[in-house]
Amino acid sequence: SILMRRRLFLYNFKNLLKAKGRHETYLCYVVKRRDSATSCSLDFGYLRNQMGCHVEMLFLRYIAAWDLDPGRCYRITWFTSWSPCYDCAQHIANFLHSYPNLTLRIFMARLYFCDDHKAEPEGLRRLHKAGAQIAIMTFKDYFYCWNTFVENREETFKGWEKLHENSVHLARKLQRILLPLYEVDDLRDAFKILGL
């Protein structure tokens, strides 16, 4: 099936602040071609990481095989269960530099951090600097995913407890990560002066 099972979606995309045991990354995608003021959907679906290969790399291989027309504009939208690791963020940034006619929007359920807590934020900053639009998923995004990618049997999406609060918390964390480093230092200095 091209649609994800409900339980699989709810388990993997739940925006918990501490999501222990969720080791797989899922990526739902929509590929559109922009023709002047209109857009044409070309493909949609979902992927998950495979043994030894992160899901972002699988998607980049998939889309590179399309031999995209350099004279046309494309927009790709991802909804991911985890934000990209540092290495994947680097590869995605390089991919975007190679395809200036392509825009990428990434909506993430949770932020991923491995042992080196400095690497992933730096990867997200580089990805943002390369032109990717990155954000945390909100209720509206979950609602869209439920209706587009999930075998929902026409059931309406019902959010879980703390969906909104966790989205706001994660969005603020992402916003702090994406601040230029000099602004972060200025904020730290201001908090020290205020005794906070």
Side-chain angles (χ1 to χ4, degrees), residues 25-77:
T25 302
Y26 282 80
L27 184 154
C28 300
Y29 65 89
V30 176
V31 181
K32 292 185 175 186
R33 186 182 66 229
R34 303 276 310 165
D35 294 318
S36 63
T38 62
S39 64
C40 170
S41 288
L42 300 176
D43 195 18
F44 80 99
Y46 77 95
L47 300 166
R48 72 174 174 85
N49 55 330
Q50 300 295 322
M51 200 62 148
C53 190
H54 288 190
V55 70
E56 297 90 347
M57 300 308 299
L58 289 171
F59 184 86
L60 293 183
R61 289 179 193 161
Y62 170 69
I63 200 72
W66 281 31
D67 197 25
L68 298 172
D69 181 348
R72 293 185 172 233
C73 294
Y74 299 89
R75 185 175 75 190
I76 297 173
T77 305

Side-chain angles (χ1 to χ4, degrees), residues 8 50 52 75 111 114 152 190 192:
L8 190 67
Q50 300 295 322
R75 185 175 75 190
L111 295 172
C114 69
N152 61 37
K192 281 181 189 173

Side-chain angles (χ1 to χ4, degrees), residues 64-112:
W66 281 31
D67 197 25
L68 298 172
D69 181 348
R72 293 185 172 233
C73 294
Y74 299 89
R75 185 175 75 190
I76 297 173
T77 305
W78 287 355
F79 299 90
T80 63
S81 56
W82 288 104
S83 62
C85 72
Y86 176 79
D87 290 337
C88 287
Q90 290 284 85
H91 287 291
I92 298 165
N94 292 339
F95 185 85
L96 290 174
H97 287 302
S98 300
Y99 292 89
N101 58 326
L102 187 148
T103 59
L104 176 64
R105 299 183 309 163
I106 306 173
F107 297 92
M108 306 164 292
R110 297 180 300 269
L111 295 172
Y112 170 77

Side-chain angles (χ1 to χ4, degrees), residues 55-194:
V55 70
E56 297 90 347
M57 300 308 299
L58 289 171
F59 184 86
L60 293 183
R61 289 179 193 161
Y62 170 69
I63 200 72
W66 281 31
D67 197 25
L68 298 172
D69 181 348
R72 293 185 172 233
C73 294
Y74 299 89
R75 185 175 75 190
I76 297 173
T77 305
W78 287 355
F79 299 90
T80 63
S81 56
W82 288 104
S83 62
C85 72
Y86 176 79
D87 290 337
C88 287
Q90 290 284 85
H91 287 291
I92 298 165
N94 292 339
F95 185 85
L96 290 174
H97 287 302
S98 300
Y99 292 89
N101 58 326
L102 187 148
T103 59
L104 176 64
R105 299 183 309 163
I106 306 173
F107 297 92
M108 306 164 292
R110 297 180 300 269
L111 295 172
Y112 170 77
F113 298 102
C114 69
D115 297 333
D116 180 4
H117 287 316
K118 293 180 182 170
E120 272 66 36
E122 178 57 28
L124 291 174
R125 281 189 287 273
R126 287 187 182 185
L127 189 54
H128 182 65
K129 192 174 179 182
Q133 300 167 26
I134 54 180
I136 296 297
M137 290 177 70
T138 64
F139 182 89
K140 182 179 85 168
D141 303 314
Y142 283 105
F143 185 84
Y144 174 81
C145 286
W146 182 261
N147 290 315
T148 307
F149 304 107
V150 178
E151 198 175 86
N152 61 37
R153 297 184 190 146
E154 298 187 19
E155 285 183 27
T156 303
F157 175 72
K158 295 175 182 77
W160 47 86
E161 187 180 344
K162 295 201 172 182
L163 183 153
H164 177 71
E165 292 90 337
N166 290 348
S167 287
V168 169
H169 175 81
L170 291 165
R172 286 180 180 154
K173 195 170 192 175
L174 178 63
Q175 190 175 16
R176 283 192 303 271
I177 288 169
L178 298 180
L179 279 174
L181 290 178
Y182 64 85
E183 286 186 32
V184 172
D185 290 337
D186 289 348
L187 282 173
R188 285 187 186 128
D189 292 341
F191 285 139
K192 281 181 189 173
I193 291 168
L194 293 170

Side-chain angles (χ1 to χ4, degrees), residues 6-21:
R6 288 177 295 171
R7 290 177 64 190
L8 190 67
F9 175 78
L10 292 171
Y11 178 78
N12 285 286
F13 278 85
K14 198 167 190 180
N15 65 348
L16 302 169
L17 299 181
K18 294 187 191 239
K20 293 188 188 243

